[in-house]
Amino acid sequence: MKAAVYYENGPPSVLKYEDVDDPVLLPQGIIIRVEAVSIEGGDTLNRLGGALVTKPHIVGYQAAGTIIDVGAEVTHLKRGQRVVTVNAFGSHAELRSVFARTAWVIPDGLDIKQAAAIPVPFGTAHECLFEYGRLKTGETVLVQAGASAVGLAAIQLAKHAGARVIATASSPERLEKLKPLGLDHGIDYAKDDVVAEVMRLTDNKGVDVVVDPVGGATLQSSLGSLAYRGRVSLVGNAGRVPQKVDVSNLMPGNRALNGVFLGAEIMSDRVHDMIQRQIDEVAAGRLTVVIDSTYPLSEAAAAHAYIESRKAVGRVLLIP
Ligand SMILES: NC(=O)c1ccc[n+]([C@@H]2O[C@H](COP(=O)([O-])OP(=O)(O)OC[C@H]3O[C@@H](n4cnc5c(N)ncnc54)[C@H](OP(=O)(O)O)[C@@H]3O)[C@@H](O)[C@H]2O)c1
């Protein structure tokens, strides 16, 4: 099969389009013919510095396609079904092998490109807001990097839950695109002081829940934006800088900082079913998947470079 691979970590140019061996079917797994790859924020970080667990390495968490082979122990999936799949690696390819547990059947009528971009961002945003953020109706949420895929999902889910939604992004143009999804107030964090703006917008109370996929200096502003009993869900390192933060405001305000990792519980019934509900909500038109652009799989390097330019709002897809 053809795949976008790399032999060493580095910038987007390490990605090469090559012939590699077809993946091996697991007894508990399936093989899909990939029709749409959703390039996740973590894919660009893994390319930059993640472990090369296969050689050459095929990066990528998330892709959708049609099942062409089913492992002996799998009883609930069959050839010909359309599924969206998640795995630790292997999405940037014509074929992929995954555990059946991390495949979700795509409802009839839902576009496969939209489906390809649901489980990780929507599942992660849901965990940040509800499982770890314990968001309640009427509370206020701050979504850092609101124009990221996790951010776009978090804005919609928070709004649907009856929250007031504040988000940051690196330009006014990016913030503008978040308004139709439920944004109440945008903060240009390339220019404005986030904590000062949050305090101004909340009459100095602060926010109840922060979704932070950026880390570093942004995480410090997340902590500083918290209300009494506020909760930060730290879920990523999109800022690409080490995280050294002052946590001294947590204890006096009964505040909390939680790390969130979707992968740790993705095999559980709770998370599997929660992701299925997100897929069903998109299929029903109640949640929106924003697709920025598509590239051929052979142009994976250009697609990764475009994502790192921070111009994309929504997912960039690769089509084999
Ligand atoms: N823990 C988990 O389970 C989990 C699950 C999913 C994702 N994640 C993590 O969450 C983060 C976001 O993922 P995603 O898929 O939503 O990413 P994405 O769609 O690619 O968006 C990333 C956004 O981060 C912002 N950003 C801030 N500093 C940046 C920098 N130095 N370089 C590039 N972008 C920067 C950019 O928006 P602005 O330009 O507007 O700032 C960019 O659009 C990633 O770190 C990912 O690994 C973690």
Side-chain angles (χ1 to χ4, degrees):
M1 68 168 178
K2 291 279 191 191
V5 304
Y6 50 80
Y7 294 82
E8 57 185 349
N9 293 119
S13 57
V14 298
L15 283 160
K16 315 285 176 211
Y17 187 59
E18 291 187 354
D19 286 304
V20 295
D21 291 341
D22 287 357
V24 175
L25 176 66
L26 303 166
Q28 318 89 336
I30 55 171
I31 304 275
I32 67 164
R33 184 168 300 287
V34 175
E35 290 166 51
V37 178
S38 170
I39 306 177
E40 299 302 302
D43 297 352
T44 61
L45 290 170
N46 281 331
R47 191 211 67 241
L48 202 56
L52 280 69
V53 292
T54 53
K55 195 141 191 184
H57 188 56
I58 304 173
V59 77
Y61 287 115
Q62 189 159 253
T66 300
I67 299 176
I68 59 165
D69 213 349
V70 179
E73 296 174 21
V74 179
T75 53
H76 69 291
L77 294 173
K78 56 179 192 286
R79 286 182 194 184
Q81 281 180 313
R82 301 185 315 153
V83 287
V84 53
T85 64
V86 173
N87 197 22
F89 54 86
S91 75
H92 287 38
E94 288 179 325
L95 301 174
R96 106 177 288 206
S97 170
V98 294
F99 287 110
R101 186 64 180 152
T102 48
W104 293 263
V105 176
I106 300 172
D108 289 343
L110 177 58
D111 179 58
I112 203 160
K113 294 196 192 79
Q114 303 255 312
I118 300 172
V120 173
F122 282 88
T124 301
H126 198 281
E127 290 287 88
C128 288
L129 291 169
F130 304 111
E131 182 69 13
Y132 300 100
R134 306 187 304 281
L135 179 65
K136 294 191 281 293
T137 305
E139 289 191 325
T140 302
V141 175
L142 171 65
V143 180
Q144 301 274 24
S148 67
V150 170
L152 294 166
I155 289 168
Q156 295 179 68
L157 292 170
K159 194 67 187 173
H160 287 204
R164 180 182 179 208
V165 184
I166 303 171
T168 60
S170 59
S171 73
E173 296 74 30
R174 291 169 72 71
L175 289 167
E176 198 58 34
K177 293 184 180 168
L178 310 182
K179 287 186 182 161
L181 299 174
L183 180 71
D184 293 306
H185 308 280
I187 301 173
D188 176 355
Y189 64 176
K191 187 166 70 63
D192 293 328
D193 182 318
V194 173
V195 177
E197 276 299 288
V198 165
M199 292 306 164
R200 186 181 68 77
L201 291 165
T202 59
D203 293 332
N204 282 324
K205 288 198 183 77
V207 298
D208 303 291
V209 177
V210 184
V211 177
D212 188 339
V214 181
T218 298
L219 176 57
Q220 195 66 63
S221 73
S222 298
L223 293 168
S225 297
L226 286 178
Y228 177 70
R229 283 189 175 233
R231 295 83 69 192
V232 173
S233 290
L234 171 65
V235 73
N237 183 30
R240 294 155 166 76
V241 285
Q243 297 171 359
K244 272 196 179 167
V245 288
D246 174 0
V247 295
S248 57
N249 78 327
L250 291 181
M251 191 174 66
N254 284 318
R255 303 180 178 103
L257 169 60
N258 288 300
V260 177
F261 176 44
L262 182 75
E265 296 186 21
I266 200 166
M267 302 289 246
S268 70
D269 287 349
R270 181 185 69 79
V271 174
H272 184 90
D273 295 351
M274 178 272 287
I275 289 174
Q276 185 64 57
R277 288 197 299 277
Q278 310 307 305
I279 294 169
D280 293 343
E281 288 290 289
V282 174
R286 288 188 287 270
L287 291 173
T288 302
V289 173
V290 181
I291 308 270
D292 179 278
S293 48
T294 60
Y295 287 71
L297 178 61
S298 57
E299 293 177 22
H304 275 231
Y306 173 60
I307 291 168
E308 294 192 352
S309 75
R310 296 170 75 167
K311 292 194 183 105
V313 175
R315 270 292 169 252
V316 177
L317 302 181
L318 296 172
I319 309 297

